[in-house]
Amino acid sequence: MTATPLTSTQGAGRAGDKIFSGAALAAGCLILAVLFGVALFLVVQAIPALTAPAAEIQGGAGFFAYIWPIVIGTLIAAVIALVIATPIAIGVALFISHFAPRGLAAGLGYVVDLLAAIPSVVYGAWGAAFLAGQISPAYNWLAQNMGWLPIFQGPASATGKTILTAGVVLAVMVLPIITSLSREIFLQTPKLHEEAALALGATRWEMIKMSVLPFARPGIISAVMLGLGRALGETMAVALVLSSGALTASLIQSGNQTIAAEIALNFPEASGLKVSTLIAAGLVLFIITLAVNMIARWIITRHKEFSGAN
């Protein structure tokens, strides 16, 4: 039996595979090189702030005393955004993928995708010009009726520009990201799994709980972590909405600050050691974001048996 010679098409296909493989490898290496370069730049530029005498850092108590209040403010704003946005996003994604009529689902999908394209400064302007004033009476009610809780302790901000308002604006910003990704992973659920659950007598909600949500769990986690990454690094929206100040446990008082907004507001006029201090703050944000993504990857790996790839 003689071997069949390679045709020109097969040879071209193999050459294309090699070119694509090399391009993908080069792109991966380029991403790692850029990431390493950014990290190296941040570390080198942050060294003067990390080694400077405490009295020369803003506040006079050293870099870590300066950075930890705005780290906490950053995490508070991001957590508020996720607590508000995640259940709404999953609910909207489920409605689009499994409940809405096909025509309505397509329209809602387009609207959600358009929301993701709105610049952050527009969200910030909306939050500062409209939302803050409208939500201020609710803050007064919370201070009067639930002020015994530290997070709602008064006096409430008269302008409504608080960390809670910033969290609401961030929630609106991350909502389309989580919704779009969750919707796509919900649509990838094997139809045989859904039909089998329905054939066994499950209701639509029971089918979703038994078949769709377990399958989509890694995708939901990825979507939430991607939204968290945007919430952590958002700059202009928070800078426009938040009246920055000292760290406070109350969500309805003026005060608190995030790392990204701190850098944006102070960097244009900074010089000397102040520049290194702000870059060091950026390094802290870089480390937080990297840690969040590593934790997300670890969680997804633990549940990889439910992923669409398997």
Side-chain angles (χ1 to χ4, degrees):
M1 184 176 179
T2 59
T4 304
L6 290 175
T7 64
S8 59
T9 303
Q10 290 173 322
R14 290 187 176 182
D17 289 342
K18 292 181 179 179
I19 294 173
F20 179 79
S21 176
L25 178 61
C29 293
L30 178 61
I31 291 174
L32 292 177
V34 170
L35 185 64
F36 176 77
V38 170
L40 182 62
F41 168 81
L42 292 175
V43 170
V44 171
Q45 295 295 319
I47 288 176
L50 298 176
T51 58
E56 297 182 8
I57 303 296
Q58 180 177 332
F63 175 75
F64 293 101
Y66 159 77
I67 195 65
W68 78 265
I70 57 178
V71 168
I72 294 177
T74 302
L75 297 177
I76 289 174
V79 169
I80 292 173
L82 290 188
V83 168
I84 296 174
T86 300
I88 297 175
I90 294 175
V92 172
L94 283 174
F95 177 76
I96 293 175
S97 61
H98 285 83
F99 290 93
R102 182 170 298 180
L104 178 60
L108 287 176
Y110 293 143
V111 170
V112 170
D113 293 338
L114 286 175
L115 286 175
I118 298 177
S120 60
V121 68
V122 176
Y123 284 110
W126 166 75
F130 176 79
L131 180 62
Q134 296 297 317
I135 207 172
S136 182
Y139 291 164
N140 291 325
W141 183 91
L142 288 172
Q144 293 172 5
N145 296 275
M146 301 187 69
W148 51 273
L149 289 173
I151 60 174
F152 297 132
Q153 187 176 6
S157 171
T159 62
K161 294 184 176 182
T162 67
I163 193 70
L164 183 55
T165 305
V168 173
V169 173
L170 289 177
V172 176
M173 294 180 63
V174 304
L175 183 65
I177 298 175
I178 302 176
T179 302
S180 297
L181 294 177
S182 299
R183 179 193 66 200
E184 293 302 321
I185 196 67
F186 290 157
L187 291 174
Q188 293 177 19
T189 305
K191 294 299 180 183
L192 289 177
H193 292 186
E194 298 181 4
E195 293 171 359
L198 294 173
L200 292 173
T203 63
R204 181 175 294 186
W205 168 242
E206 290 173 338
M207 177 272 292
I208 290 173
K209 185 170 63 174
M210 292 187 298
S211 301
V212 178
L213 293 180
F215 175 85
R217 188 181 306 164
I220 294 174
I221 295 173
S222 298
V224 171
M225 291 303 173
L226 187 60
L228 176 60
R230 181 172 187 184
L232 287 171
E234 183 50 50
T235 304
M236 291 310 302
V238 177
L240 290 172
V241 171
L242 182 61
S243 293
S244 61
L247 178 65
T248 174
S250 177
L251 304 180
I252 60 176
Q253 293 182 12
S254 297
N256 295 310
Q257 181 63 298
T258 67
I259 296 176
E262 174 79 5
I263 295 173
L265 293 174
N266 293 283
F267 201 86
E269 300 177 356
S271 61
L273 185 61
K274 181 62 176 178
V275 174
S276 296
T277 303
L278 294 176
I279 293 178
L283 175 62
V284 173
L285 182 59
F286 179 86
I287 294 172
I288 292 173
T289 306
L290 184 63
V292 166
N293 282 280
M294 292 177 65
I295 293 172
R297 178 56 55 188
W298 174 73
I299 294 174
I300 293 170
T301 302
R302 288 187 60 197
H303 300 92
K304 64 182 179 180
E305 65 272 15
F306 293 110
S307 69
N310 294 317

